[in-house]
Each structure stands twice: as structure tokens, then as C-alpha cells.
Amino acid sequence: MEMLLKTHSQRKKHLRLAEIIATMVEFWGIFVVFSACAAIQLTESRIQHAYRPTSLSASDELSDISNSISDSSKDDSASSSLLQGNMFVDTSVASSDSAQETQRVEHSTVAESTESSVESTTPSTTTPKIRLSLSERREELSVFTDNLMTEYSKHYVGKTRDVIKKIIVELETSTEKSDDLEERLIAIKATLKELDAFDIESDDLDDASDIVHELNDVLDEPVNEPPEMVAALKKVGWLDMRHKLYDETVAILDKFGKAFNQFVATLSPWERLTEAGLVELSKRFNKDKTVDQWDLFDEFWTYFQ
């Protein structure tokens, strides 16, 4: 038993000694590595020092370092000043824009508020359009057409009368008048007297228009007229006057046609049945030529008697 204990004790000593030796070996290994690194670092430092200029003293080196630090601080200061300046400009512009935008928003809000208050206090002037009855629409079309015809009748009678007066003046200036010319002059004067009996602005000119119509049939193609009459008609511009009146009829027919079509377009299906005659007349009016359209006026009025 004692042998075993002694053997065990010796083993523990051996193990302890082995641990101490291992620790020492590890320590010296680290020390050797550290010494090697320090030697390498020292060698590199000496090499760098060997290549530096020998003319620079320690004070020069300190001066260079100080200048370098000073320049760096100046650059940083300038950069900082420039940055601050730019930030100041941008901030002021942004602030101005923001203020203007705020003013615009406030102004817009005030304007909208004012408009709203005006609209709320002002009564609405827009009223829905009431559909006219059939009789009212017929009356509108009748009055519109009558006004067109009345205005044209004034020109038809008045312009013809003015030209007749000029014809009479031309015929009376002839020194030698043939019997045919004397007869035509008397007839022209009688026609002028009849037309002068009408008040162009206030009278009904239907009868006056009939007189002019008969005269036109004779003078538009004066094949049987004396030479003096033919010359007088050309000189006073009889045909020019007739062409101008024709242009007026074209304009009147265009206005009447639009109003007539508009009236037909307002008719309901039931009204189209009751106004079948006018609907058919509208179709014929749109197809006929100008001369035929003018003749349709007589038929048009038969639906308004």
C-alpha cells in the first residue's frame, strides 16, 4: 500500500514538473517571436531614416507638420464657410418661396371664401328653359319668316322705285322722242306714281311688290323696247340692281331654311302627325333649287291662315 502511495506521489511530481517545463517553453517561444518582430520593426525604421533628407532639422520637421495642420484647418474652414454660405442662400430662397406660396394659398382661400359668400348671398339667375307649346313654336316661325319677307319687300320695292326715277330722267333728256318712247315714258311715270303711293316703312307692300313684278317681266328682257329705253336701262344699272336683289333672296332662303328645319326638329312624333303638311313641305324645300324655294313661300303661308 505504501508503495502504491509513493508511486502515485512520484507520478504527481513528474506531471507537475512536466507542466512547469511546458509553461516555460511556451513563454520563451512567445518571447522569441516578440523579439524577432521588434528587431524587424527597428530595421525598417533605420532604413526609412536613412532615405530622409539630411538637410531638414527637427525644428523644420515640426514646422512642416505645423504648416500642414494649419493649411488643413484653413481648407476645412473655407469649405465650411462656403457650405454655410450656400446653405444660407438656399435657405433664404426656400424661405421666400415658402412665404410666397403661403401668401398664394391664403389669397386663394380668401378669394374662394369671398366667391362662396357671394354665391350664397346672390340669388340664382339661371332658370330652366321651358319648352314652348306647338302653337307658340308655330308663331315664332311665322313671325320670323314674316320679318324676313317684310325686310326684303322694302328693298324690292324701294330699290326698283329709285332706279325707275333714274330711267325717267334719262328718257326725258332725249331731244327727239319717238312715239314708242313717248308711250313707254308715260307708262313708266304711271308706274312710279303708283309706287310713290306706298309708304315703304309702314305700309303693306304686297300690292307694290305685284306692280314691281309686272314691271320686271318687261324690263329684264327689253326685246320690244325702244333703243333709248334699252340704253337708259344699261346706264342706270337696272340689271345690277336686279342681281343684288337676287343675292338678298339667296340669303333670306338660307335663314328661312335653317329656322324651318329647326322647327321640324322640335316636333314630337305625335306633332309630326298633326303637322304632316309642314314636314313634307320642309323636305321639298331642302331638295328644290333657289328659284323653286322662293315659290314655296306662297304654299308655306297656307299653313298659317
Side-chain angles (χ1 to χ4, degrees):
M1 186 68 180
E2 292 179 359
M3 287 294 293
L4 291 173
L5 292 174
K6 188 180 292 187
T7 303
H8 180 70
S9 177
Q10 291 177 354
R11 288 180 179 177
K12 288 178 66 176
K13 290 180 180 181
H14 292 163
L15 290 173
R16 179 64 178 169
L17 181 59
E19 289 178 359
I20 293 173
I21 294 172
T23 301
M24 293 179 65
V25 170
E26 184 179 357
F27 171 77
W28 283 107
I30 293 173
F31 177 77
V32 170
V33 172
F34 177 79
S35 299
C37 291
I40 294 172
Q41 185 69 24
L42 181 60
T43 303
E44 290 180 353
S45 176
R46 290 176 177 177
I47 293 173
Q48 292 179 358
H49 180 73
Y51 283 97
R52 288 181 59 85
T54 56
S55 60
L56 292 177
S57 63
S59 62
D60 293 334
E61 291 181 0
L62 291 176
S63 178
D64 289 343
I65 294 173
S66 176
N67 293 335
S68 176
I69 293 173
S70 176
D71 293 341
S72 176
S73 63
K74 289 181 180 180
D75 292 341
D76 292 342
S77 176
S79 176
S80 176
S81 300
L82 180 61
L83 180 59
Q84 290 178 359
N86 291 335
M87 289 177 63
F88 175 77
V89 172
D90 293 342
T91 302
S92 64
V93 172
S95 176
S96 177
D97 292 342
S98 176
Q100 293 178 1
E101 183 64 24
T102 302
Q103 292 177 357
R104 285 197 293 268
V105 171
E106 292 176 353
H107 179 72
S108 176
T109 304
V110 172
E112 291 178 358
S113 176
T114 304
E115 292 177 357
S116 299
S117 62
V118 172
E119 291 178 357
S120 61
T121 57
T122 303
S124 177
T125 58
T126 303
T127 56
K129 188 175 182 180
I130 301 175
R131 175 181 172 83
L132 300 177
S133 64
L134 177 59
S135 61
E136 290 173 330
R137 280 175 279 145
R138 282 173 57 90
E139 180 66 18
E140 278 192 346
L141 180 61
S142 175
V143 171
F144 177 79
T145 305
D146 184 65
N147 290 337
L148 287 178
M149 293 303 299
T150 299
E151 190 66 23
Y152 176 74
S153 295
K154 293 178 181 180
H155 297 166
Y156 185 65
V157 175
K159 291 181 179 181
T160 301
R161 187 175 61 181
D162 293 340
V163 173
I164 289 176
K165 292 178 181 180
K166 295 178 181 179
I167 292 175
I168 293 174
V169 172
E170 290 296 324
L171 294 178
E172 287 182 340
T173 57
S174 299
T175 55
E176 297 181 2
K177 299 181 182 64
S178 63
D179 294 339
D180 291 339
L181 181 59
E182 287 286 353
E183 183 179 349
R184 293 302 298 142
L185 183 57
I186 293 172
I188 291 294
K189 287 182 178 180
T191 301
L192 177 60
K193 185 177 180 179
E194 289 181 298
L195 294 178
D196 283 339
F198 294 95
D199 186 347
I200 298 296
E201 295 299 329
S202 59
D203 288 349
D204 184 358
L205 298 179
D206 287 345
D207 292 338
S209 296
D210 291 340
I211 296 172
V212 172
H213 182 71
E214 293 178 0
L215 184 64
N216 291 339
D217 289 342
V218 176
L219 300 183
D220 283 351
E221 296 181 2
V223 291
N224 297 323
E225 295 296 323
E228 293 85 354
M229 174 63 76
V230 175
L233 291 173
K234 291 181 179 179
K235 188 172 182 179
V236 299
W238 172 267
L239 291 180
D240 293 338
M241 178 270 296
R242 297 285 291 141
H243 290 155
K244 290 179 180 178
L245 289 174
Y246 176 79
D247 292 339
E248 288 188 28
T249 63
V250 173
I252 289 173
L253 291 174
D254 180 65
K255 294 178 181 179
F256 170 75
K258 292 178 179 178
F260 199 6
N261 290 335
Q262 184 177 1
F263 167 79
V264 173
T266 64
L267 298 177
S268 66
W270 175 254
E271 290 172 343
R272 291 179 73 89
L273 293 177
T274 60
E275 299 292 342
L278 277 175
V279 173
E280 179 62 26
L281 181 63
S282 174
K283 293 179 181 179
R284 290 164 51 199
F285 186 88
N286 291 327
K287 291 180 180 179
D288 290 337
K289 296 179 181 179
T290 303
V291 177
D292 297 327
Q293 286 176 334
W294 192 259
D295 294 337
L296 290 176
F297 271 113
D298 292 336
E299 186 176 349
F300 171 80
W301 290 117
T302 60
Y303 294 95
F304 294 86
Q305 295 176 353

